[in-house]
Amino acid sequence: MSRLEVDQNQSNFVLDGKPFFYLGDTVWSAFTNITTEEWEYYLKKRKEQGFTVLQINTMPQWDRCASNQKLYPFATKDGYTFDFTRWDERYYENARKMCRMAVEKGFQLALVVLWLNHVPGTWGSRMIDDNVMPREMIRPYTEKIVEEFDEFHPVYVISGDTDFDTPQAVEYYNIALETVCEKSPLSLKTMHIKRGYDLIPEEFLDRIDFYMFQSGHNKEGQDMAYKLPESFREKYPEKPMINAEPCYEQMGYSRKAYGRFQQEDVRKAAWSSILSGACAGVTYGAHGVWNWQKINKPQNPVLGEGFDAPFPWQEALQFPGAWDYGLIRRILTDLRVRKLVPANELLENDTEEIRMAVSGDGRYFIYLPYSTRLSIRKELPDCTARAVDLENGRNADVESSVENGRTVLGMHPFQKDVLLIVEEMR
């Protein structure tokens, strides 16, 4: 089995020496909630849709839906509070079986080691502290994770949805990261951090291989999809970047605000991130898949964020946005795009919602939420331009002209968002 690596360009990944686009799905609750039969169907469907990576929590997701599985990583009397000194080997046996099924289908795994509610001094453990892991168990637990799962060559996501605002949180995650580096030196490591957050402690920077950020599920603040990669590019050494938790399709707006994110919203979050520097990949989420809502089970109350109720997983698995994310991978893979450098400074249009990047080989990629004329601060006299309808996959030629040292692109004929691909003739 091959191991995922960082490309020499420090912007993307390679697998077996070939470019690899990280198209992830958040199925955080897989190891506790999903039966073998359900998992088999899930893997088949996500493979058809074009996904390449599965993001799974190795601990029970704190806001998962109810399940009859009764599988937990530690001994427990009530299915809620754990005895961190006693493993439940049934859990790991089942989890390894699920991992084996996934890798046999061609998926890469991204396994979260320590979700924030198990770590003192995080926003999650301040909300609910019943299962904070004792400090002395961090290293044994992390060793256990590597021992059980390293044969599958996963990406190790050391933290889950966390902040690093206290010395305790930094210490816990430092122990976990140090342990994974020691026990699995060749694996890729990263940190999954909370919505709108861009702080990575300096002591972690030389030991993580790429950055994950989260534009999240607040209706206000969706501009984080492009502002966070801009911030990471400015503050930190160059490494691949991924929006590891953009708004999920049909997720209710957080803070109990009325409304749900639609297919077009999740497309916008993805392309806004990719063309702003996070071109290594992107992660999708469906409200009902990440927490695995079953038809005959009560809906989960969802701690903290106050989201509206999820859809049954069978319905959520079919949301149309999943196919749109598969199209992202196909477009960039078919065009052999290895690196995208943000280039919004070339656009004259007065809005940050339009995002632009260049590939370095005479191609310009522009995400356009609504049809309008565009002006590029560069003469491209013999360029070709086409608009890809991101909902239906249709293509249309777009007129271009050079005026006063600028290249002007005409309106495209589609009523929703498109990707404009402009190529210089060489």
Side-chain angles (χ1 to χ4, degrees):
M1 180 183 174
S2 302
R3 191 183 295 275
L4 196 64
E5 299 176 308
V6 172
D7 196 325
Q8 292 181 350
N9 67 16
Q10 292 299 307
S11 291
N12 297 82
F13 300 111
V14 292
L15 185 67
D16 292 327
K18 299 178 182 179
F20 178 90
F21 188 79
Y22 185 118
L23 184 59
D25 185 39
T26 47
V27 58
W28 299 129
S29 309
F31 293 163
T32 53
N33 283 43
I34 305 180
T35 67
T36 299
E37 292 76 16
E38 291 169 345
W39 187 238
E40 191 169 9
Y41 179 72
Y42 166 84
L43 294 174
K44 178 180 181 296
K45 183 56 62 177
R46 284 298 191 239
K47 189 69 174 179
E48 292 172 348
Q49 293 163 334
F51 288 87
T52 59
V53 180
L54 306 179
Q55 293 178 190
I56 304 172
N57 194 350
T58 63
M59 293 284 281
Q61 184 71 21
W62 68 327
D63 44 7
R64 67 194 182 281
C65 295
S67 173
N68 286 332
Q69 291 291 87
K70 296 183 179 179
L71 288 169
Y72 307 100
F74 299 97
T76 176
K77 294 180 179 179
D78 57 7
Y80 183 73
T81 303
F82 300 141
D83 177 354
F84 287 108
T85 65
R86 296 166 55 209
W87 315 117
D88 187 337
E89 296 297 343
R90 296 177 309 117
Y91 175 87
Y92 294 101
E93 181 181 351
N94 181 71
R96 284 196 309 274
K97 177 182 176 181
M98 297 177 75
C99 289
R100 192 168 296 109
M101 292 171 66
V103 299
E104 286 175 355
K105 289 284 188 182
F107 290 101
Q108 295 290 309
L109 300 170
L111 302 181
V112 179
V113 176
L114 208 54
W115 206 260
L116 82 159
N117 58 298
H118 302 295
V119 176
T122 66
W123 70 267
S125 61
R126 284 191 293 271
M127 182 179 300
I128 179 169
D129 62 0
D130 291 354
N131 260 327
V132 170
M133 189 176 289
R135 181 187 180 282
E136 63 270 18
M137 283 302 301
I138 298 300
R139 183 174 178 85
Y141 170 70
T142 307
E143 289 176 341
K144 176 73 170 175
I145 293 301
V146 175
E147 175 187 324
E148 297 289 348
F149 299 112
D150 209 49
E151 66 175 290
F152 305 111
H153 295 174
V155 172
Y156 289 104
V157 185
I158 306 301
S159 64
D161 203 17
T162 199
D163 50 23
F164 304 105
D165 293 345
T166 66
Q168 277 184 306
V170 174
E171 180 188 27
Y172 266 56
Y173 285 121
N174 189 52
I175 295 170
L177 178 57
E178 183 180 74
T179 305
V180 174
C181 288
E182 177 186 326
K183 298 296 182 179
S184 182
L186 298 180
S187 62
L188 296 187
K189 295 95 178 169
T190 189
M191 299 281 186
H192 180 283
I193 57 179
K194 72 176 183 180
R195 181 199 66 82
Y197 196 74
D198 65 355
L199 174 64
I200 303 292
E202 185 175 355
E203 56 263 49
F204 296 165
L205 289 175
D206 64 346
R207 291 179 290 167
I208 61 174
D209 300 287
F210 66 98
Y211 306 121
M212 283 182 163
F213 62 87
Q214 178 186 167
S215 57
H217 317 292
N218 281 23
K219 174 60 175 175
E220 304 301 326
Q222 286 301 300
D223 55 0
M224 289 292 113
Y226 58 83
K227 287 185 173 179
L228 285 172
E230 288 177 340
S231 176
F232 274 72
R233 281 173 56 85
E234 180 181 341
K235 293 172 61 173
Y236 300 121
E238 185 177 12
K239 298 178 189 283
M241 282 191 289
I242 292 171
N243 189 347
E245 195 169 331
C247 55
Y248 288 174
E249 191 165 9
Q250 291 301 326
M251 179 78 100
Y253 303 148
S254 65
R255 307 295 191 266
K256 298 183 179 181
Y258 176 66
R260 292 179 184 266
F261 290 105
Q262 303 298 308
Q263 176 184 6
E264 193 170 345
D265 298 316
V266 299
R267 282 200 308 268
K268 184 175 183 179
W271 282 107
S272 295
S273 295
I274 290 168
L275 298 184
S276 301
C279 61
V282 68
T283 298
Y284 172 79
H287 193 35
V289 169
W290 68 272
N291 47 359
W292 211 256
Q293 174 66 56
K294 301 197 180 192
I295 293 174
N296 61 342
K297 287 294 178 182
Q299 295 168 343
N300 67 322
V302 187
L303 300 171
E305 292 287 348
F307 305 121
D308 212 330
F311 288 77
W313 70 266
Q314 294 93 333
E315 295 179 29
L317 195 60
Q318 308 284 351
F319 288 161
W323 297 98
D324 295 341
Y325 272 50
L327 180 62
I328 294 172
R329 177 193 164 212
R330 282 185 278 274
I331 289 173
L332 297 180
T333 300
D334 290 349
L335 293 176
R336 299 184 180 182
V337 177
R338 296 294 295 268
K339 184 172 184 176
L340 289 168
V341 179
N344 261 51
E345 69 278 1
L346 294 178
L347 286 176
E348 286 197 335
N349 298 65
D350 189 23
T351 175
E352 291 186 305
E353 286 188 271
I354 301 173
R355 308 307 299 176
M356 179 176 178
V358 298
S359 63
D361 56 1
R363 291 183 294 180
Y364 302 77
F365 296 82
I366 305 167
Y367 174 73
L368 196 61
Y370 314 102
S371 187
T372 189
R373 281 163 52 95
L374 285 180
S375 180
I376 300 175
R377 294 187 178 96
K378 187 175 182 179
E379 291 190 5
L380 304 172
D382 297 313
C383 71
T384 63
R386 64 184 172 102
V388 180
D389 177 352
L390 294 174
E391 183 165 295
N392 299 299
R394 298 174 296 179
N395 282 245
D397 292 334
V398 175
E399 293 183 349
S400 66
S401 61
V402 174
E403 304 173 9
N404 301 319
R406 307 289 195 265
T407 299
V408 177
L409 303 175
M411 286 178 57
H412 64 78
F414 304 121
Q415 284 73 55
K416 291 190 177 180
D417 54 339
V418 304
L419 180 70
L420 289 179
I421 303 172
V422 182
E423 296 190 57
E424 295 183 68
M425 300 298 291
R426 295 189 174 185

